[in-house]
Amino acid sequence: MLDLVFKAPRVITVVGEVARSIGVQDGKIVAIEPLEAGLEAEQVVQLRDDEVLLPGLVDTHVHINEPGRTEWEGFHSATRAAAAGGVTTVIDMPLNSIPPTTTVEALAVKRQAAEGNVFVDTGFWGGAVPDNLDQLRPLHDAGVFGFKCFLLHSGVDEFPHLNTKQMEEALQHMHDFGALMIVHAENSDAIDRAPSAEGERYRKFLASRPRGAENMAIAEVIEAARYTRARVHVLHLSSSDALPMLASARRDGVLITVETCPHYLSFSSELIPDGATQFKCCPPIRESGNRDLLWQGLKDGIIDCIVSDHSPSTPDLKRFDIGDFGVAWGGISSLQLGLPAIWTQAKVRGFSLVDVTEWMAARTARLAGLARKGRIALGYDADFCLFAPDEASVVDASKLYHRHAVTPYEGLPLAGVVRRTWLRGEPLDLTEGAVPRGRLLSRGDA
């Protein structure tokens, strides 16, 4: 007698979309059998014909901001939103919390804030800044999943950026203990020389963050990784120009991976209204032709995965009162919406749910080294998302679980609805007052 059985005419497994019965015991997947197999359990979930059982998504790029800027977002609200969006594992970025996660002591502060306050399993990235080289190995040993650095001002003064030499020094150090460096790749000199971003015009903001700034920084990252033989990951790729050199670097054996985000795959700069600062992010949303080439990069396997880069703030920091892109906070709020946003665009381009879960679950889990997340396979955690791909909805930001009702997806019709989420075989209760049951993860957790 198993704890739970799913009878699913459509389920995404490692062999594709098939009809299967999935058996769960003690929070693990212990049986994957033909649909008609007589698996018995205390609880049986029979999927409807319009539902597909997906692995729980893994979002490795989330700014939760607690402690220090919990009024922007927090562990309770962010992980509740994640669960509502079918995300069962998140990895928190080392900024914009105060203190940033750049020391073992700061990691302990963050873990204390998260303990008992997360609806989904939650891990942490460490930060690489100019004065913490001696903290990298202790943070690694304390369980962070890798280290984030910026190559230009991060947006917050307490998380300073690395120059190219400092990045190489950090990579050489990380190579000794096999750590991963994840990089916000924009070249500060190129942006300093670009036009000012001030004002309401989105085209002016776009010109202030040119593709060349991204391309130059990614070239620097590639050569640093080539020289040090360290593992690197390029965050939130927006410039399709960089795809050929990323592909070339991989052919040369450089250990580099790359992600992009739903907003770069959903929106285009031509349709962003002036003053609509809810669309501001760095690097920026670019032209429709660029968006199409990013989709081609996914198809070609150059882009590995899709993550939210959920980076909210309080509404006043978006400066809707003046609509000035030069002073508004740069960040997109979308953690709950990633799956339907990507499915809306993917289905019209001929991609399948198998593709989507590979980009948003399997490969993100692999990036973070989570050996039991991101797939429906024997021995994996029983993390599931029940998804209705043919049901449509219109985004109402006031009904999202994000702390603030601000998102560029407001009013947008999206394909696909997450109907239910399970974490280690238990359905997640997201009602007001529900007790969070997520766990805190450390690198190396089996």
Side-chain angles (χ1 to χ4, degrees):
M1 180 69 70
L2 300 170
D3 295 333
L4 174 65
V5 166
F6 292 91
K7 294 187 177 294
R10 300 176 65 189
V11 54
I12 306 299
T13 71
V14 293
V15 297
E17 183 179 311
V18 291
R20 290 289 187 272
S21 289
I22 309 296
V24 174
Q25 186 75 37
D26 297 326
K28 305 295 179 189
I29 299 170
V30 298
I32 301 177
E33 301 290 344
L35 183 60
E36 63 275 9
L39 295 181
E40 296 183 357
E42 296 178 10
Q43 182 182 7
V44 176
V45 176
Q46 176 68 58
L47 269 68
R48 301 174 184 175
D49 291 341
D50 67 337
E51 296 174 334
V52 185
L53 191 66
L54 310 181
L57 304 187
V58 177
D59 193 335
T60 54
H61 194 149
V62 181
H63 293 268
I64 294 178
N65 306 329
E66 186 177 2
R69 291 190 174 95
T70 310
E71 70 275 14
W72 293 17
E73 188 67 281
F75 286 107
H76 190 278
S77 55
T79 58
R80 191 177 178 213
V87 178
T88 52
T89 305
V90 298
I91 311 292
D92 172 58
M93 283 290 163
L95 73 164
N96 303 302
S97 58
I98 301 174
T101 316
T102 54
T103 67
V104 173
E105 293 76 17
L107 174 63
V109 171
K110 180 163 283 194
R111 290 180 67 90
Q112 183 178 12
E115 186 69 50
N117 205 21
V118 293
F119 284 87
V120 302
D121 288 353
T122 303
F124 305 95
W125 295 108
V129 295
D131 60 355
N132 81 328
L133 191 65
D134 63 339
Q135 285 289 314
L136 300 183
R137 183 58 188 263
L139 276 165
H140 177 80
D141 293 342
V144 299
F145 284 83
F147 299 90
K148 180 177 186 177
C149 74
F150 279 74
L151 299 183
L152 80 170
H153 194 281
S154 69
V156 291
D157 292 338
E158 67 272 7
F159 197 95
H161 67 282
L162 302 180
N163 60 36
T164 302
K165 181 180 179 181
Q166 290 167 333
M167 177 179 64
E168 287 188 356
E169 290 174 349
L171 286 173
Q172 286 179 310
H173 190 49
M174 290 178 196
H175 176 262
D176 293 341
F177 49 92
L180 172 68
M181 177 77 95
I182 62 176
V183 185
H184 182 123
E186 288 182 284
N187 180 275
S188 59
D189 290 336
I191 288 179
D192 287 343
R193 295 166 181 163
S196 168
E198 64 186 3
E200 298 182 0
R201 297 189 64 198
Y202 185 80
R203 286 182 62 185
K204 191 173 181 182
F205 168 64
L206 184 60
S208 76
R209 314 288 294 214
R211 295 189 195 202
E214 242 185 305
N215 303 337
M216 290 175 65
I218 290 171
E220 292 172 357
V221 172
I222 288 170
E223 295 313 309
R226 191 194 309 274
Y227 168 65
T228 62
R229 295 177 292 116
R231 291 191 302 136
V232 297
H233 178 74
V234 174
L235 298 168
H236 44 49
L237 180 72
S238 82
S239 172
S240 62
D241 294 350
L243 293 171
M245 63 177 164
L246 287 162
S248 175
R250 286 187 183 165
R251 288 193 296 269
D252 290 346
V254 177
L255 301 177
I256 189 166
T257 51
V258 61
E259 69 187 35
T260 192
C261 305
H263 38 278
Y264 301 128
L265 297 166
S266 298
F267 302 115
S268 62
S269 62
E270 297 94 331
L271 298 180
I272 296 176
D274 289 343
T277 55
Q278 65 268 32
F279 288 91
K280 180 181 177 180
C281 57
C282 300
I285 297 164
R286 303 191 188 277
E287 304 83 359
S288 59
N290 180 84
R291 176 187 60 189
D292 293 341
L293 289 172
L294 291 177
W295 278 104
Q296 187 64 43
L298 284 162
K299 183 176 182 179
D300 294 340
I302 303 171
I303 299 175
D304 298 272
C305 53
I306 303 172
V307 297
S308 68
D309 189 10
H310 179 69
S311 186
S313 69
T314 53
D316 61 295
L317 292 179
K318 291 303 257 183
R319 297 311 308 266
F320 296 122
D321 55 335
I322 57 175
D324 190 331
F325 283 97
V327 296
W329 174 257
I332 298 287
S333 185
S334 63
L335 180 55
Q336 188 172 333
L337 300 170
L339 178 56
I342 288 300
W343 177 236
T344 299
Q345 298 293 323
K347 65 183 295 189
V348 299
R349 289 173 167 82
F351 295 105
S352 69
L353 283 171
V354 174
D355 299 316
V356 171
T357 55
E358 182 71 14
W359 297 326
M360 302 184 77
R363 292 187 188 173
T364 45
R366 185 187 312 149
L367 172 72
L370 291 165
R372 291 204 308 240
K373 299 287 189 183
R375 293 188 184 275
I376 296 177
L378 292 176
Y380 277 60
D381 287 353
D383 299 345
F384 303 106
C385 165
L386 190 63
F387 189 58
D390 298 323
E391 185 177 346
S393 64
V394 175
V395 176
D396 181 347
S398 68
K399 295 181 179 179
L400 300 176
Y401 291 122
H402 304 157
R403 175 146 294 175
H404 300 289
V406 175
T407 178
Y409 293 91
E410 170 70 18
L412 194 69
L414 297 179
V417 171
V418 175
R419 290 183 175 168
R420 208 171 182 189
T421 307
W422 285 260
L423 180 66
R424 293 186 305 279
E426 295 290 335
L428 289 180
D429 180 3
L430 304 180
T431 58
E432 195 67 39
V435 177
R437 293 187 294 102
R439 295 176 181 171
L440 303 188
L441 303 176
S442 294
R443 179 193 47 79
D445 286 347

